[in-house]
Amino acid sequence: GLALARPYLEALSSKSDPIAGAQAKLWVFVVDTSYTMAYGESNSDEADESRWQQAIEKTKARIEESGPNDSFMLITLGKPSAAPIRKPTRESERVVTELIRLQLPHQRADIPIGLTYVSSILEQTKQNPAAPKKIEVLLLSDFVGATWQPAFEQSENALVQLASKYPLKVIPLGNSEPTNLVLQDLRAESSHHLLGEEIRATATIFNFNSRPESNVEVSISLNDQKVISETLDIPAQSIGSVSFRLKAEDAGFNRITASLPQDNLTVDNQRHLVVEVRDNRRILFVESKKDETRMIRLALSAGDLLEGATRGDVTVLSPIDLLASNLTDWEVIVCNDLGYLDRPVFAQLQSFVQRGGNLIIGLGPATTSAMWNNLDSETLLGFQLVQASAEKLWDIDPLEYQSSIA
């Protein structure tokens, strides 16, 4: 098992002497770039130093031990592996510069293939007459189970083969198996809100650990200002969620950030969400005949739906114009007694509702059950139209009418 790996690997280091002698040496730094290398942990030197930072510091220390004629190579174990410094160079500062510049991926390295890749590059290097004959390989990794265990036998064989050809020094990083919580999702109930209206959202966290986690802190920020802090308990290998409400003080695009400040593997501890906050609600009326929705607009304007709105917040289009429009410009669409609706427009309306838009459909004398049912409208309406009502009095008396919608 992996518990036996680290003592075994350290035994390989007895073949090498890190202090450079008079003979020029080629130092080959092989660095694991798995996502776990971003795990931070406190130590006596610096609080919350990541394993990747440890790798950089230990690389610097080894370079300082090198001789004036020594040269260097840098190979990273990843998916895929790479050789940022493939040809030996005496510019030692390039090694550290490349490590600092490198971005850790959000995945584990393919260790067996990576070690085979290292062997192949070194074989090519040996063919160069100008390359130093004395070679030492330094392997820097945290050797965690998430990276090494899935293909441990193949990794072990590749490591033994590498050690049989070249002096190998293993430099373990970190003190323990890292724990990991992942902020998987951050989602608001709607992408558009009115100024002063509550924004409701939910953050979802997955506990990848083999033990339950208690009092997990979830920090919520609005435009980089912390506004909420919640805690929850999450069972092992399970999902937990936190729902919260907040209000934006300014109209425009507002960024909500959820983070896990207590989790030391920082690459997956944060999610961002942008919501648009508007001064007024934008409503689109769709009518087949000009001014057919006039009375409805008058009725609704007295209710809460348009409270504080200006005339410019209301747009009127025909079904044909609707096809060429970007429906994300509106929060509410009112379709008034449409006698005809083709499939592309119907698909637009379905997508609008799925994204959180509000759709009001008014049925009237022009409505036919055949047209709606041919569009499979049950997926949108939630019911099928059978036949029109026998009631023929469709007129509205504006002096007596009060909006039941608003």
Side-chain angles (χ1 to χ4, degrees):
L2 191 65
L4 301 177
R6 192 169 279 191
Y8 170 74
L9 294 174
E10 287 174 348
L12 295 173
S13 66
S14 62
K15 287 191 175 185
S16 63
D17 177 6
I19 306 300
Q23 183 181 359
K25 180 191 289 189
L26 173 59
W27 298 72
V28 182
F29 293 96
V30 180
V31 187
D32 185 358
T33 63
S34 298
Y35 69 95
T36 57
M37 292 286 284
Y39 186 76
E41 52 196 340
S42 299
N43 57 42
S44 57
D45 299 322
E46 183 178 349
D48 298 328
E49 181 184 50
S50 73
R51 296 176 180 190
W52 184 251
Q53 291 170 321
Q54 292 177 33
I56 294 175
E57 293 304 318
K58 290 181 181 295
T59 299
K60 287 181 180 178
R62 295 291 170 173
I63 289 175
E64 290 176 358
E65 297 174 354
S66 64
N69 297 320
D70 290 355
S71 54
F72 309 89
M73 292 172 61
L74 175 62
I75 303 173
T76 57
L77 299 180
K79 197 173 184 178
S81 296
I85 303 179
R86 188 184 185 98
K87 295 181 179 180
T89 178
R90 290 185 180 179
E91 299 176 18
S92 59
E93 66 276 5
R94 276 191 59 198
V95 179
V96 177
T97 300
E98 290 292 341
L99 287 175
I100 293 174
R101 185 165 53 189
L102 193 142
Q103 295 290 321
L104 289 179
H106 292 187
Q107 59 185 1
R108 62 179 177 84
D110 192 326
I111 299 298
I113 293 179
L115 292 175
T116 303
Y117 176 71
V118 172
S119 294
S120 67
I121 289 180
L122 291 180
E123 287 300 313
Q124 295 173 22
T125 302
K126 285 173 59 177
Q127 304 305 316
N128 182 359
K133 302 303 179 185
K134 189 175 182 181
I135 299 176
E136 180 164 334
V137 180
L138 297 99
L139 174 60
L140 296 92
S141 173
D142 56 0
F143 297 100
V144 300
T147 302
W148 289 76
Q149 191 64 50
F152 179 73
E153 185 175 346
Q154 297 95 314
S155 299
E156 182 183 44
N157 291 337
L159 197 58
V160 169
Q161 289 181 15
L162 183 64
S164 67
K165 298 177 181 178
Y166 309 97
L168 175 64
K169 176 69 177 180
V170 172
I171 304 177
L173 307 169
N175 301 316
S176 61
E177 188 79 9
T179 58
N180 190 23
L181 297 169
V182 176
L183 216 160
Q184 281 192 324
D185 191 36
L186 176 61
R187 189 165 303 187
E189 292 184 5
S190 175
S191 59
H192 301 94
H193 297 80
L194 283 180
L195 192 61
E197 185 178 66
E198 277 191 336
I199 301 172
R200 302 181 182 184
T202 300
T204 304
I205 304 97
F206 189 86
N207 177 13
F208 275 95
N209 304 323
S210 57
R211 65 173 187 270
E213 296 292 334
S214 301
N215 296 318
V216 175
E217 182 184 356
V218 182
S219 176
I220 307 299
S221 299
L222 178 63
N223 300 323
D224 298 324
Q225 297 296 317
K226 184 176 178 179
V227 291
I228 298 172
S229 180
E230 299 280 355
T231 60
L232 73 160
D233 299 335
I234 311 176
Q237 299 289 317
S238 298
I239 290 177
S241 63
V242 170
S243 296
F244 57 91
R245 301 179 182 185
L246 49 80
K247 289 184 180 181
E249 296 181 357
D250 301 308
F253 291 99
N254 289 261
R255 185 177 70 170
I256 301 172
T257 303
S259 59
L260 302 173
Q262 296 175 335
D263 188 55
N264 288 327
L265 190 55
T266 58
V267 294
D268 48 21
N269 282 353
Q270 200 171 73
R271 288 274 180 173
H272 301 285
L273 171 69
V274 175
V275 295
E276 185 179 6
V277 177
R278 297 170 174 172
D279 290 316
N280 301 303
R281 200 179 296 279
R282 302 171 191 176
I283 299 181
L284 171 64
F285 288 88
V286 184
E287 59 184 19
S288 298
K289 297 179 182 179
K290 183 174 174 57
D291 285 338
E292 197 172 40
T293 62
R294 178 172 174 272
M295 298 306 298
I296 300 177
R297 299 200 305 271
L298 288 173
L300 289 178
S301 65
D304 294 336
L305 191 61
L306 286 177
E307 185 176 355
T310 64
R311 186 182 301 273
D313 295 312
V314 175
T315 305
V316 181
L317 294 177
S318 70
I320 296 176
D321 295 330
L322 194 64
L323 185 59
S325 301
N326 182 5
L327 300 190
T328 59
D329 291 339
W330 296 282
E331 293 132 274
V332 181
I333 297 178
V334 180
C335 295
N336 179 65
D337 191 22
L338 301 180
Y340 177 75
L341 199 64
D342 60 17
R343 286 193 178 276
V345 173
F346 180 78
Q348 272 191 304
L349 293 175
Q350 279 187 310
S351 178
F352 172 76
V353 172
Q354 289 169 355
R355 291 194 304 267
N358 302 283
L359 177 63
I360 300 173
I361 297 177
L363 307 179
T367 301
T368 63
S369 58
M371 186 271 287
W372 285 100
N373 293 335
N374 285 339
L375 292 171
D376 300 321
S377 61
E378 188 173 358
T379 57
L380 181 64
L381 302 177
F383 58 86
Q384 265 196 332
L385 294 177
V386 179
Q387 63 183 21
S389 169
E391 177 62 63
K392 298 298 183 182
L393 298 176
W394 301 98
D395 296 335
I396 296 175
D397 183 350
L399 298 179
E400 297 182 359
Y401 179 75
Q402 289 185 345
S403 171
S404 59
I405 299 175

